[in-house]
């Protein structure tokens, strides 16, 4: 990606909210937190358009089916939005990702009150278990082959990234055998997994993995970085702290971490704070700040055109939704705050 055009998908208000997923047609979903403190699932098309229910929309596949979580009396339900219809699936828990074929993963509440990673496809439900004991696990990404990437608490109390090939979980380990936590957050159709893990010094760094073992992707100069999305070309996106502790969105390709702000035109006025997804065309979904206001944005390679690119570089004509504030992360909050910056997936 040599240079990029910025598409404004909608204002996120005076606080913070999260675009979570983009499909190959450029359709994007996420959630906001309204002035009453309720999380609202949304689609982005120049503004944040509410979907039915209270909760989060965490993923959208290439057929336009979105998956996420809605709450009724504080009880979470895996929920699907498709063709204007909202369907609560028969799963008490959290929906985090959906594959191109409609297979779903996330975390469900077991009869004993634990949380376990699961897959759900064609009415068939599979409990993927945990990496030790009966404590906690969740899937965060599922690919076209049914492979699941996620995070589980192990018997020693540490969080460990895992891959599952339809049943039992396999730990991805940590950086160079360190005793730190690791978190897997996305997987592509070739089985490449990304997320973040603690270094021997205790800092969180973005990683990529093609099986056992983690590759440290480094940072943009600060102490920490986090990877959230990967496409089938192996392009990884996320965010990194800078030397001044500000946050910048990054793209990692060909062994190099690139500050996505360097791809914007000089004097654009934008700061790209974080990236949460990347599709097959190289379109990046993230958050950007303009004149102190936070927006959901899509970064497209120059000369390309996303079918849903209805925003513009100037935010002046984009209507704002209700005021939002930084909210919780549902399932992600159960694991650990360091799992995510703002996003549940």
């Amino acid at each position: 990606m040599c240079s990029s055009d910025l598409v404004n998908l909608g204002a996120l208000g005076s606080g913070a909210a999260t675009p979570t997923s983009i499909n190959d047609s450029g359709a994007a979903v996420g959630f906001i937190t309204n002035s009453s403190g309720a999380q609202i699932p949304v689609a982005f098309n120049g503004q944040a358009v509410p979907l039915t229910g209270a909760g989060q929309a965490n993923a959208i596949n290439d057929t336009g089916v979105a998956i996420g979580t809605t709450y009724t009396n504080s009880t979470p339900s895996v929920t699907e939005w498709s063709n204007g219809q909202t369907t609560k699936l028969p799963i008490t828990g959290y929906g985090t990702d959906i594959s191109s074929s409609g297979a779903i993963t996330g975390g469900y509440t077991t009869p004993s009150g634990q949380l376990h990673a699961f897959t759900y496809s064609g009415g068939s439900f599979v409990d993927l278990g945990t990496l030790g004991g009966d404590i906690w696990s969740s899937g965060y990404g599922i690919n076209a082959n049914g492979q699941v990437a996620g995070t589980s608490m192990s018997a020693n109390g540490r969080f460990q990234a895992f891959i599952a090939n339809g049943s039992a979980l396999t730990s991805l380990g940590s950086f160079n055998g360190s005793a730190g936590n690791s978190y897997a957050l996305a997987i592509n159709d070739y089985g490449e997994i990304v997320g973040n893990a603690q270094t021997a010094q205790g800092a969180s760094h973005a990683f990529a993995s093609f099986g056992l073992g983690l590759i440290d992707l480094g940072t943009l100069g600060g102490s920490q970085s986090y990877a959230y999305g990967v496409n089938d070309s192996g392009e990884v996106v996320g965010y990194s702290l800078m030397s001044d502790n500000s946050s910048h969105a990054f793209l990692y390709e060909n062994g190099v971490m690139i500050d996505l702000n360097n791809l914007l035109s000089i004097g654009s006025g934008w700061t790209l704070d974080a990236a949460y997804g990347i599709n097959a065309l190289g379109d990046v979904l993230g958050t950007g700040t303009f004149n102190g206001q936070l927006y959901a944005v899509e970064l497209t390679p120059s000369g390309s055109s996303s079918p849903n690119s209805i925003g513009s570089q100037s935010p002046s004509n984009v209507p704002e939704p209700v005021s939002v504030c930084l909210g919780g992360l549902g399932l992600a909050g159960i694991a650990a705050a360091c799992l995510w910056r703002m996003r549940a997936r």
Side-chain angles (χ1 to χ4, degrees):
M1 187 184 290
C2 297
S3 61
S4 299
D5 298 320
L6 188 71
V7 179
N8 187 345
L9 298 180
L12 296 177
S14 59
T18 309
T20 55
S21 178
I22 185 171
N23 69 12
D24 287 347
S25 297
V29 296
F31 63 91
I32 64 173
T33 305
N34 66 19
S35 57
S36 299
Q39 291 182 338
I40 306 298
V42 296
F44 293 101
N45 66 352
Q47 60 181 321
V49 179
L51 301 172
T52 302
Q56 313 98 21
N58 292 322
I60 184 168
N61 69 10
D62 289 338
T63 66
V65 179
I67 196 73
T69 308
T70 58
Y71 298 87
T72 303
N73 297 325
S74 300
T75 299
S77 297
V78 178
T79 302
E80 181 179 279
W81 296 271
S82 178
N83 297 319
Q85 300 296 314
T86 302
T87 304
K88 286 189 178 182
L89 301 180
I91 305 169
T92 299
Y94 309 85
T96 59
D97 199 20
I98 183 169
S99 73
S100 55
S101 64
I104 296 165
T105 193
Y108 90 100
T109 305
T110 69
S112 60
Q114 306 296 332
L115 199 77
H116 282 193
F118 73 86
T119 60
Y120 181 78
S121 179
S124 176
F125 179 90
V126 177
D127 181 338
L128 297 178
T130 73
L131 286 173
D134 191 33
I135 306 172
W136 186 97
S137 67
S138 176
Y140 287 102
I142 187 168
N143 66 16
N145 303 311
Q147 294 176 304
V148 173
T151 304
S152 173
M153 186 177 287
S154 58
N156 61 14
R158 295 201 306 267
F159 290 103
Q160 292 287 287
F162 71 75
I163 184 172
N165 291 286
S167 55
L169 312 185
T170 300
S171 173
L172 298 179
S174 55
F175 288 138
N176 300 319
S178 73
N181 298 317
S182 60
Y183 308 92
L185 305 179
I187 184 171
N188 68 16
D189 286 346
Y190 293 100
E192 181 177 4
I193 296 168
V194 300
N196 68 83
Q198 289 178 306
T199 66
Q201 294 72 37
S204 292
H205 280 197
F207 76 75
S209 176
F210 290 95
L212 298 180
L214 310 180
I215 300 169
D216 189 337
L217 303 187
T219 75
L220 291 173
S223 61
Q224 304 193 70
S225 62
Y226 302 83
Y228 292 103
V230 58
N231 65 12
D232 286 345
S233 297
E235 296 172 312
V236 182
V237 295
Y239 82 91
S240 171
L241 296 184
M242 308 298 287
S243 58
D244 62 359
N245 283 327
S246 63
S247 171
H248 279 199
F250 75 75
L251 168 70
Y252 184 93
E253 61 178 352
N254 300 321
V256 178
M257 182 178 286
I258 302 165
D259 186 338
L260 284 173
N261 288 277
N262 294 338
L263 304 183
L264 298 178
S265 59
I266 296 175
S268 72
W270 285 91
T271 298
L272 300 178
D273 307 300
Y276 295 108
I278 182 168
N279 66 16
L281 302 177
D283 301 335
V284 176
L285 177 70
T287 55
T289 303
F290 188 92
N291 287 338
Q293 171 66 60
L294 190 69
Y295 296 88
V297 297
E298 180 182 347
L299 202 64
T300 64
S302 290
S304 69
S305 178
S306 169
N308 288 345
S309 298
I310 63 174
S312 67
Q313 286 194 333
S314 171
S316 59
N317 294 323
V318 179
E320 292 190 17
V322 294
S323 176
V324 299
C325 59
L326 180 62
L329 297 180
L331 176 56
I334 300 174
C338 55
L339 250 172
W340 310 96
R341 178 169 179 259
M342 293 182 289
R343 148 176 203 213
R345 169 175 171 131

